[in-house]
Amino acid sequence: MSPQPEATEGLREFQVQDASVELPQEGDLQFQKILVIVAGFTIMLTTNALIFSAGVYQALYEEMASEPDNPFSGASSALIGLVGTLAIGLMSMTGPFVMMWIKLYRPQTVVAVAGVLFGVAYILASVSRTLWQFALTQGVLVGISVSMSYIPATTTAPTWFNERRGLAMGIVISGSAVGGMIWPSILTAMNDHMGFRNTLRVSGAICAVAIIAVSPAVKWEPGFNQQIQAERQALIQRARGSCHHPRPSFLQLPLINWRLTLTKKFLAKAAGCMLQSAAYSTPLIYYAAFGRSLGYSATTAANFITISNAANAVSRVGMGYAADKYGRINMLFATTFLSAVAVAAFWIPATVAGATAAGKALFIVFTLLYGSFASSYIALFPASLVELFGKKDFTSVNGALYLVRGIGALLGTPLTGLLIPQGRALLSPAVYERAAIAVTALLFPASFCILWVRLEMTAGKDWRWKHQVFVLHIRPQGVENRASRPLSCT
């Protein structure tokens, strides 16, 4: 008999009455795990990598802004930056809706539709004639399509792993870094040889085909899928109870455990998410433009994006492995704090040193360090949620926090961009000083919010620092130490 799900009232806690689920054989399970990683890596390699290569287009559109008779003539740096910022912000802000869609429909279906929408968005961008049209197509539509592929990939993948969840997610998320190493040079060369409009068409078509091809592998782990089926049944029952919508609405918001969202742990996590997201994208979008202000050519300046993503690719896998060993929240705090240090110690001084040998050296070091540490947050974020809130609340919390991250990205970079004087983004490194200070002012509090989460995890427990690393050992009160491997919070 097939399992019959039921939904309880109040917090909507779901149970499956018949737990006898037919699970795949061990060999098939291992093969499916590999497919999940490959699919997630490919999606990140295409969708996210193109979004985070927005610096190539930012620098190109900045240059076009000083020329007459084009869509960007006379536009400010902040307005041009809105194109990339909308994409980055909406890929997270639409998270709650995407989480709902992968419950109501199969994740494979949502990802396949995302591939089609991604290709259409880039083709429409290639024929856009005004700045607001680029913002709508290359910004809004691309952001939504990336969300519909990126969130299913990073939400379903953690459900397949336990001990090596951090490493698995590090490999998946590193796809955007590997793509970020490849795409900037390709996009710059294509822009030079065939024009940016044909570049948009070709790159969009390639990525759309890749997304659709791997979509069948994006699926829930069989055991976790039973919980999803129970939640889906509850959503259908809730919709049937409404006289206006007898079936679940496409724009229906997901069920959220509101009691959980009022806990200090969730509030601290949400605050850290918003602050980190508000700061994170600004350097990425202005890498190439800042490189141009240092006197580099467009091709060489685009290589800063490649350098950052090269460091990014290695660190995401390495940090994922370290997170499994030393604790995911521990590594989340360390990498966020070090990314703030990188901005304060290297980017701000580079803006002061200007187009000198010292300024160039400082910016190169900053690019390596920021690429290594700041982007690790993206890899560790989904893996840490399972540890913090459990699998039962993972999907609803994941969607809510992606919304928070999207709001942060949508507000942070455009407002920071207003600190860069119009028409001078490619001329003087000094004009970036206030923007770099703003990024620092956001990242340090973000790291302290993560530390707050860490302390909330140890509330009411006896703990001490491990001497090799900063992993907390937890010993419940009243329990004697035994000669066994100590627990470490993750």
Side-chain angles (χ1 to χ4, degrees), residues 137-455:
T137 55
Q138 199 177 357
V140 174
L141 290 182
V142 168
I144 293 173
S145 64
V146 170
S147 177
M148 291 173 61
S149 55
Y150 154 68
I151 289 181
T154 56
T155 301
T156 56
T159 65
W160 290 86
F161 301 91
N162 289 314
E163 293 182 358
R164 297 300 180 189
R165 185 180 296 125
L167 176 61
M169 290 306 299
I171 296 173
V172 169
I173 302 295
S174 69
S176 66
V178 174
M181 295 167 55
I182 299 171
W183 283 113
S185 298
I186 293 176
L187 294 176
T188 301
M190 291 173 68
N191 285 334
D192 292 340
H193 290 85
M194 64 174 63
F196 79 96
R197 295 189 183 277
N198 284 328
T199 299
L200 287 169
R201 295 183 186 109
V202 173
S203 59
I206 291 173
C207 294
V209 171
I211 296 166
I212 295 171
V214 301
S215 62
V218 182
K219 59 178 69 175
W220 300 107
E221 186 272 331
F224 192 82
N225 188 52
Q226 302 307 305
Q227 175 184 324
I228 296 299
Q229 292 300 320
E231 293 186 25
R232 181 179 184 274
Q233 191 67 24
L235 291 170
I236 294 174
Q237 291 175 2
R238 186 177 71 167
R240 287 174 178 171
S242 170
C243 59
H244 301 290
H245 300 285
R247 300 189 64 181
S249 171
F250 185 69
L251 296 178
Q252 180 178 338
L253 287 172
L255 296 172
I256 298 177
N257 186 337
W258 291 108
R259 186 175 65 181
L260 180 64
T261 63
L262 296 178
T263 61
K264 293 180 181 179
K265 184 168 60 175
F266 180 88
L267 294 175
K269 183 70 171 175
C273 280
M274 177 169 284
L275 291 169
Q276 197 275 346
S277 181
Y280 173 65
S281 302
T282 299
L284 305 183
I285 289 178
Y286 287 103
Y287 270 144
F290 188 81
R292 295 285 297 276
S293 74
L294 290 173
Y296 292 106
S297 66
T299 301
T300 305
N303 287 335
F304 282 105
I305 304 174
T306 303
I307 292 171
S308 174
N309 283 294
N312 186 342
V314 175
S315 72
R316 287 187 176 184
V317 178
M319 294 299 177
Y321 174 80
D324 287 331
K325 188 174 182 180
Y326 302 133
R328 298 176 183 101
I329 299 299
N330 293 332
M331 295 305 298
L332 203 60
F333 165 72
T335 54
T336 305
F337 183 80
L338 290 174
S339 67
V341 171
V343 178
F346 295 98
W347 193 21
I348 294 177
T351 65
V352 176
T356 64
K360 292 178 179 180
L362 286 167
F363 187 60
I364 291 172
V365 175
F366 164 71
T367 302
L368 287 168
L369 294 180
Y370 193 80
S372 297
F373 296 124
S375 57
S376 296
Y377 190 101
I378 310 299
L380 298 174
F381 172 73
S384 67
L385 295 184
V386 178
E387 310 302 324
L388 283 172
F389 304 106
K391 283 190 174 183
K392 184 170 70 67
D393 291 307
F394 169 63
T395 54
S396 63
V397 169
N398 194 36
L401 290 178
Y402 270 120
L403 173 62
V404 171
R405 282 189 58 77
I407 294 173
L410 203 57
L411 293 176
T413 302
L415 294 177
T416 305
L418 293 175
L419 300 175
I420 302 172
Q422 181 174 348
R424 299 183 60 193
L426 303 181
L427 302 177
S428 172
V431 302
Y432 290 89
E433 182 179 6
R434 291 185 299 172
I437 292 173
V439 171
T440 306
L442 291 168
L443 286 176
F444 275 119
S447 64
F448 295 139
C449 285
I450 299 170
L451 182 59
W452 179 14
V453 173
R454 190 70 185 82
L455 296 175

Side-chain angles (χ1 to χ4, degrees), residues 59-139:
L60 174 65
Y61 297 162
E62 293 264 12
E63 185 175 359
M64 293 173 64
S66 61
E67 301 171 354
D69 302 325
N70 68 69
F72 305 97
S73 296
S76 68
S77 179
L79 282 177
I80 293 172
L82 192 61
V83 176
T85 303
L86 280 171
I88 293 173
L90 286 173
M91 83 174 191
S92 296
M93 279 189 68
T94 52
F97 295 105
V98 176
M99 291 300 303
M100 172 64 67
W101 299 338
I102 61 178
K103 291 179 182 178
L104 291 176
Y105 317 102
R106 297 190 307 166
Q108 302 96 307
T109 303
V110 175
V111 174
V113 172
V116 175
L117 182 59
F118 189 88
V120 170
Y122 265 81
I123 291 173
L124 290 177
S126 72
V127 297
S128 297
R129 298 295 175 185
T130 62
L131 178 56
W132 73 264
Q133 290 175 345
F134 279 94
L136 181 62
T137 55
Q138 199 177 357

